[in-house]
């Protein structure tokens, strides 16, 4: 099969295993060429008490222009944490310029967790994120992000299967064909991923909850899903592979007592993602 290229629009963070530092090696292990488009450069991610942060927004248009001039094409585009309204606008413009009929466009609408939005999420940013979502064919929100995108009250974070189905259908009507609602706590000991594909029966991927929540888990999951889908696997199998892989990495972190902000030790199992 002809090798594919994935544009990864995300931050470049040195320590802490997140974003490009996670996504590029994971998709590379899956034989996909990773092309980083930095949104910011950080020494560590923002969960550490101190970090260096350089916003790349003012440089992004010139950076991207060279790809336009050189007629570089991508088979997929994946986006993660975005820091400002202008950055979201740049990403929308990128998708419009580079998307082809059969492109994969995965948007991880990184906006918040546990019912709370991150500090950078002003109402204006939320509005922009809703706009970006329309361009995705794959969306990977957690419950907080799902509620925010739909203006639904998070409440105590407990939603029945029918409610989740209704919310996914509503979100899918705005564009994305495939949605996985990630990391839904289920009976304390398990984590549910609610897998929705337009015109298909909904399915569930359940994994055991192991230890503490670890930063960077979402980036591992979204990159495995992107890689699997680009390699021709269906959405459900891609989500299952991603959840099982993340679980295995988390188990390793727990066993070796890796600090929770150091991200997942995904390097240990890259071989699991390789196919002949
Ligand atoms: O994927 C999480 C993530 C990505 N990028 C940055 C972050 C975080 C989580 O805190 O701080 C910069």
């Amino acid at each position: 099969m002809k090798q594919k290229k994935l544009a990864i629009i995300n931050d470049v963070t040195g320590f802490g295993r997140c974003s490009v530092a996670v996504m590029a090696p994971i998709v590379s292990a899956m034989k996909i060429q990773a092309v980083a488009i930095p949104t910011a450069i950080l020494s560590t991610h923002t969960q550490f008490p101190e970090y260096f942060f350089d916003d790349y927004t003012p440089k992004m248009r010139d950076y991207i222009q060279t790809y336009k001039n050189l007629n570089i094409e991508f088979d997929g585009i994946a986006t993660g944490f975005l820091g400002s309204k202008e950055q979201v606008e740049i990403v929308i413009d990128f998708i419009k310029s580079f998307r082809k009929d059969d492109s994969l466009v995965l948007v991880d609408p990184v906006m918040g967790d546990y019912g709370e939005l991150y500090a950078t999420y002003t109402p204006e940013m939320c509005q922009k994120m809703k706009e970006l979502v329309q361009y995705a064919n794959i969306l990977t929100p957690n419950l907080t992000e799902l509620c925010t995108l739909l203006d639904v009250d998070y409440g105590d974070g407990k939603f029945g299967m029918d409610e989740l189905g209704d919310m996914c259908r509503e979100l899918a009507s705005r564009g994305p064909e495939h949605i996985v609602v990630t990391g839904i706590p289920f009976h304390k000991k398990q984590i549910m991923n609610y897998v929705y594909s337009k015109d298909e029966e909904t399915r569930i991927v359940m994994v055991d909850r192991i230890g503490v929540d670890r930063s960077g888990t979402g980036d591992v999951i979204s990159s495995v899903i992107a890689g699997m889908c680009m390699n021709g696997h269906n959405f459900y199998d891609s989500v299952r592979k991603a959840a099982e892989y993340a679980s295995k990495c988390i188990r390793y972190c727990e066993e070796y007592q890796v600090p929770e902000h150091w991200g997942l030790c995904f390097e240990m199992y890259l071989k699991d993602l390789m196919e002949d």
Side-chain angles (χ1 to χ4, degrees):
M1 193 164 72
K2 189 164 163 275
Q3 209 186 357
K4 293 187 171 174
K5 284 193 234 50
L6 176 68
I8 300 172
I9 311 179
N10 217 327
D11 56 85
V12 174
T13 293
F15 188 80
R17 295 192 186 91
C18 67
S19 314
V20 169
V22 166
M23 299 187 72
I26 284 182
V27 300
S28 299
M30 302 167 94
K31 298 187 178 165
I32 291 161
Q33 183 185 351
V35 180
I37 298 172
T39 55
I41 298 176
L42 295 92
S43 56
T44 71
H45 61 61
T46 59
Q47 304 301 305
F48 284 88
E50 186 185 329
Y51 51 88
F52 168 84
F53 173 82
D54 187 19
D55 180 15
Y56 213 62
T57 309
K59 317 251 171 71
M60 286 179 76
R61 288 191 199 275
D62 287 350
Y63 188 109
I64 291 165
Q65 187 59 42
T66 58
Y67 293 159
K68 293 184 184 171
N69 299 346
L70 294 165
N71 295 318
I72 291 175
E73 295 186 351
F74 299 99
D75 308 283
I77 301 164
T79 77
F81 179 85
L82 300 171
S84 65
K85 181 172 157 279
E86 191 189 349
Q87 212 165 64
V88 184
E89 281 164 2
I90 293 170
V91 171
I92 291 173
D93 179 61
F94 184 91
I95 296 171
K96 283 183 179 164
S97 304
F98 288 92
R99 180 182 50 187
K100 296 180 283 186
D101 284 348
D102 54 353
S103 294
L104 170 141
V105 180
L106 183 149
V107 171
D108 186 2
V110 182
M111 301 166 85
D113 219 340
Y114 312 112
E116 302 274 341
L117 291 182
Y118 299 133
T120 50
Y121 268 83
T122 56
E124 207 182 27
M125 256 307 265
C126 290
Q127 201 48 47
K128 270 283 154 205
M129 229 27 204
K130 287 181 193 167
E131 211 180 294
L132 173 61
V133 157
Q134 300 171 14
Y135 296 91
N137 40 45
I138 297 178
L139 202 64
T140 60
N142 62 26
L143 259 186
T144 306
E145 292 151 355
L146 180 72
C147 289
T148 306
L149 290 170
L150 292 165
D151 296 309
V152 167
D153 183 19
Y154 182 84
D156 61 1
K158 293 199 167 61
F159 294 91
M161 294 293 178
D162 289 349
E163 287 172 294
L164 289 170
D166 289 344
M167 289 198 278
C168 287
R169 253 185 303 282
E170 166 65 23
L171 205 48
S173 74
R174 301 180 190 176
E177 204 175 318
H178 305 286
I179 300 170
V180 55
V181 187
T182 58
I184 307 171
F186 191 82
H187 291 174
K188 285 201 173 129
K189 290 214 167 121
Q190 288 191 299
I191 298 281
M192 179 171 83
N193 296 284
Y194 188 90
V195 187
Y196 173 92
S197 291
K198 247 182 208 170
D199 306 323
E200 281 178 37
E201 207 158 331
T202 299
R203 298 174 79 175
I204 299 295
V205 173
M206 206 68 93
V207 289
D208 289 338
R209 170 174 227 150
I210 312 157
V212 292
D213 290 342
R214 291 177 176 275
S215 48
T217 304
D219 299 324
V220 170
I221 288 178
S222 65
S223 45
V224 175
I225 292 174
M228 285 284 287
C229 288
M230 285 177 80
N231 284 338
H233 296 279
N234 70 40
F235 188 58
Y236 172 77
D237 289 344
S238 304
V239 173
R240 203 179 49 185
K241 179 85 180 179
E244 285 169 359
Y245 180 71
S247 257
K248 194 167 171 181
C249 298
I250 292 170
R251 215 170 291 127
Y252 177 95
C253 294
E254 287 294 315
E255 189 177 337
Y256 288 91
Q257 296 177 18
V258 177
E260 64 194 88
H261 295 325
W262 288 24
L264 306 197
C265 302
F266 68 90
E267 303 89 347
M268 301 310 297
Y269 303 113
L270 279 176
K271 209 152 76 62
D272 289 10
L273 301 176
M274 295 178 187
E275 292 178 348
D276 290 334

